[in-house]
């Protein structure tokens, strides 16, 4: 049996991962008896100088693989992005297929392509990326490659991708619903069902969910996300209410008020392992 651990959305740069964070993560993985770690995208905004050195450090302790998220693509060419897509690893009878995925605006069909592009170019991180095709075409190309690959495989299949493959995981807050267009596509789920994929691990949207079975596919979504979103940070304000601000719903603002306080730094050190463990998905594969 091989025990595979999955994580996503570490955002090493924003979360200021250093030696202590790496050491804590390694310790968690060893205590959970993880044989192989796969990271499903968004390691950082700098693949070459931040993400790859971090992966190499991790590999000194545990075999590690990854696929790209949209943040990892910053500064990469289309050819470089493609080089990380659709990798297959075999663990006993089980095959792990990893790729990025993309989005085609189909989660928000009531708006036109032009409206989506205006929203993307005004607000969304991906306006900084240099992709060769438009978003629906990128998604169609990814789906075609995925279909050909899945049709060629047999035995149990686990999928790791970055983008959201089912509408059940979208934003439900009215303000954020327009951004659902840039989260993924239901067409990925349809292929997972057709080719009897057993488990799918993904991230991108920074919410953690319990295992959800949809049409026979087990979905796992437990991204780490930004430190301002962590349970650890919310719990700090519960335990130290004197540091609460009037606009607690503004996650960035409330985090900035405490991020350098000795109380918070000590609290983070004490509870970081629990936060990392909560963002870890574990799947056991048969030999």
């Amino acid at each position: 049996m091989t025990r595979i651990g999955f994580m996503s959305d570490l955002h090493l740069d924003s979360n200021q991962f250093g030696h202590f964070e790496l050491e804590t993560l390694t310790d968690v993985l060893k205590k959970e008896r993880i044989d192989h770690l796969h990271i499903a995208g968004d390691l950082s905004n700098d693949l070459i100088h931040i993400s790859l050195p971090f992966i190499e450090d991790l590999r000194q302790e545990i075999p590690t693989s990854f696929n790209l998220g949209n943040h990892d693509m910053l500064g990469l060419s289309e050819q470089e992005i493609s080089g990380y897509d659709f990798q297959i690893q075999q663990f006993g009878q089980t095959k792990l297929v990893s790729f990025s995925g993309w989005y085609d605006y189909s989660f928000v069909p009531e708006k036109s392509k032009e409206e989506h592009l205006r929203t993307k170019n005004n607000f969304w991180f991906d306006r900084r990326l240099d992709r060769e095709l438009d978003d629906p075409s990128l998604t169609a190309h990814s789906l075609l490659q995925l279909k050909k690959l899945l049709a060629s495989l047999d035995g149990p299949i686990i999928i790791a991708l970055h983008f959201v493959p089912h509408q059940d995981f979208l934003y439900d807050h009215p303000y954020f619903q327009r951004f659902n267009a840039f989260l993924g596509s239901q067409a990925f789920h349809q292929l997972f069902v057709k080719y009897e994929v057993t488990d799918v691990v993904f991230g991108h949207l920074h919410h953690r969910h319990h295992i959800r079975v949809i049409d026979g596919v087990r979905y796992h979504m437990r991204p780490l996300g930004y430190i301002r979103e962590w349970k650890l940070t919310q719990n700090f304000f519960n335990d130290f209410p004197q540091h609460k601000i009037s606009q607690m719903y503004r996650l960035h603002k409330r985090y900035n008020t405490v991020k350098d306080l000795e109380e918070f730094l000590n609290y983070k050190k004490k509870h970081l392992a629990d936060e990392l463990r909560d963002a870890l998905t574990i799947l056991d594969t048969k030999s």
Side-chain angles (χ1 to χ4, degrees), residues 5-250:
F6 295 86
M7 301 187 77
S8 74
D9 301 86
L10 299 187
H11 292 287
L12 304 169
D13 38 4
S14 298
N15 291 331
Q16 298 183 315
F17 262 63
H19 179 73
F20 174 76
E21 286 76 14
L22 175 62
E23 192 176 64
T24 303
L25 175 58
T26 301
D27 187 58
V28 166
L29 297 172
K30 289 181 176 179
K31 286 181 177 177
E32 295 295 333
R33 298 178 289 110
I34 301 300
D35 300 306
H36 184 98
L37 175 68
H38 184 85
I39 302 174
D42 278 6
L43 280 143
S44 78
N45 288 359
D46 190 336
L47 181 73
I48 304 302
H49 299 102
I50 297 177
S51 303
L52 293 181
F54 177 82
I55 292 292
E56 287 307 310
D57 287 341
L58 259 182
R59 284 174 175 163
Q60 301 304 311
E61 303 293 337
I62 183 171
T64 303
S65 56
F66 68 98
N67 59 264
L68 300 183
N70 53 322
H71 283 257
D72 303 300
M73 297 175 184
L74 188 63
L76 300 187
S77 67
E78 198 66 46
Q79 184 177 5
E80 290 171 320
I81 292 170
S82 298
Y84 287 98
D85 246 352
F86 296 103
Q87 302 195 40
I88 306 172
Q89 300 178 79
Q90 183 123 7
F91 299 94
Q93 302 171 22
T94 302
K95 296 176 181 67
L96 169 60
V97 176
S98 58
F99 65 104
S100 299
W102 202 249
Y103 47 86
D104 54 8
Y105 314 147
S106 58
F107 284 146
V108 187
E110 63 272 17
K111 291 190 176 183
S112 68
K113 181 179 178 180
E114 290 71 27
E115 288 176 295
H116 288 310
L117 284 173
R118 282 197 295 272
T119 301
K120 177 179 177 177
N121 291 330
N122 284 328
F123 300 104
W124 204 246
F125 176 85
D126 299 349
R127 68 187 185 275
R128 302 171 61 187
L129 306 182
D130 185 21
R131 305 301 308 265
E132 289 185 357
L133 302 174
D134 64 17
D135 297 319
S137 298
L138 287 169
T139 304
H141 181 65
S142 181
L143 287 164
L144 180 61
Q145 288 182 284
L146 177 64
K147 183 178 181 178
K148 289 179 179 178
L149 181 57
L150 292 179
S152 71
L153 300 178
D154 55 9
I157 298 171
I158 298 172
I159 295 283
L161 78 160
H162 184 67
F163 287 87
V164 180
H166 197 283
Q167 61 189 8
D168 276 16
F169 300 96
L170 301 179
Y171 288 117
D172 54 12
H173 190 284
Y175 176 80
F176 295 106
Q177 284 180 345
R178 57 183 166 164
F179 300 122
N180 286 332
F182 317 119
L183 296 187
S185 173
Q186 189 86 1
F188 289 108
H189 170 74
Q190 294 165 3
L191 286 181
F192 300 155
V193 174
K194 179 177 180 179
Y195 292 100
E196 300 181 342
V197 171
T198 59
D199 293 86
V200 175
V201 183
F202 67 101
H204 191 46
L205 185 57
H206 294 179
H207 295 300
R208 298 177 199 167
H209 292 266
H210 295 296
I211 295 172
R212 190 173 300 181
V213 181
I214 306 174
D215 299 327
V217 181
R218 288 190 296 269
Y219 282 103
H220 310 266
M221 183 185 183
R222 304 204 62 78
L224 182 62
Y226 297 122
I227 187 172
R228 63 179 180 267
E229 303 164 324
W230 291 0
K231 292 182 178 181
L232 176 160
T233 304
Q234 175 62 57
N235 291 340
F236 173 80
F237 286 103
N238 293 335
D239 292 345
F240 296 88
Q242 65 270 29
H243 294 299
K244 288 185 175 182
I245 63 173
S246 58
Q247 296 176 310
M248 284 293 289
Y249 63 91
R250 298 185 64 179

